Amino acid sequence: MDAMDWAILAELQADARLSYSELSRRVHMSAPAVAERVRRLEETGVISGYHAHVDLAAAGRTVRALIRMSCYGARCVLRDEQALARPEILQVYRVTGDTCCLLLVAVPSMGEFEALIDRLAQYGRPSSTMVLSSPVPWRPVPAPPAPHHRDRQDAAEPW
């Protein structure tokens, strides 16, 4: 990926509804060239989809939590596609350590949260942490820093 791909990604992450005409104006390329780059970014999987950012509270999902699952082997929740497809589960992370996976969930009420915990208990031991707020709810992927050349003397990063 080059700097132009990153410029296109920055614009699409800010507003995925941009027309190729507007996108080309913003990145100073022709619309056909931009369309070709976007197509290539989609085909290579760099762009995996286009989504609306939804305010969970405004959509009625006021209870958010992270659930750590301690489950392994045949009963692991990661082996049950139907369980992972539940609409309350927004994201699933397989993690290292003494926890198998981490689930980000959102539900309308504490009663529904309790029912979800009860359903997950068949897979192992769920342990939850309630989300109070998110100071960084979403952040676009930034372009990598431009490479720069330095003398060998100052090649070490200062900490």
Side-chain angles (χ1 to χ4, degrees):
M1 288 186 28
D2 63 13
M4 186 53 63
D5 288 335
W6 282 106
I8 290 169
L9 286 175
E11 293 296 337
L12 288 175
Q13 287 181 97
D15 184 357
R17 296 177 66 181
L18 290 174
S19 67
Y20 285 136
S21 175
E22 178 61 19
L23 183 55
S24 69
R25 187 187 67 71
R26 292 183 184 193
V27 298
H28 310 292
M29 285 184 76
S30 70
V34 165
E36 176 59 27
R37 282 183 177 255
V38 169
R39 184 193 57 75
R40 185 173 40 83
L41 291 167
E42 292 169 344
E43 286 179 353
T44 58
V46 174
I47 295 176
S48 61
Y50 299 88
H51 313 278
H53 292 277
V54 176
D55 181 309
L56 291 169
R61 303 267 184 108
T62 56
V63 177
R64 292 179 296 157
L66 298 168
I67 301 174
R68 293 173 303 285
M69 290 297 299
S70 295
C71 57
Y72 298 96
R75 285 190 25 217
C76 180
V77 70
L78 294 177
R79 297 181 186 271
D80 188 338
E81 291 179 24
Q82 207 171 15
L84 297 178
R86 294 201 59 82
E88 304 94 332
I89 300 174
L90 302 180
Q91 292 181 309
V92 179
Y93 299 98
R94 186 172 183 191
V95 297
T96 61
D98 61 352
T99 298
C100 172
C101 59
L102 186 64
L103 312 176
L104 172 62
V105 303
V107 292
S109 69
M110 286 303 288
E112 290 189 44
F113 179 72
E114 185 177 1
L116 177 60
I117 290 290
D118 291 344
R119 282 191 296 276
L120 290 171
Q122 68 181 306
Y123 300 100
R125 186 174 53 87
S127 175
S128 62
T129 301
M130 302 309 294
V131 174
L132 300 176
S133 66
S134 181
V136 182
W138 179 84
R139 183 176 286 157
V141 177
H148 60 284
H149 302 286
R150 298 188 287 180
D151 295 333
R152 281 191 158 305
Q153 288 178 319
D154 63 358
E157 291 291 327
W159 298 102

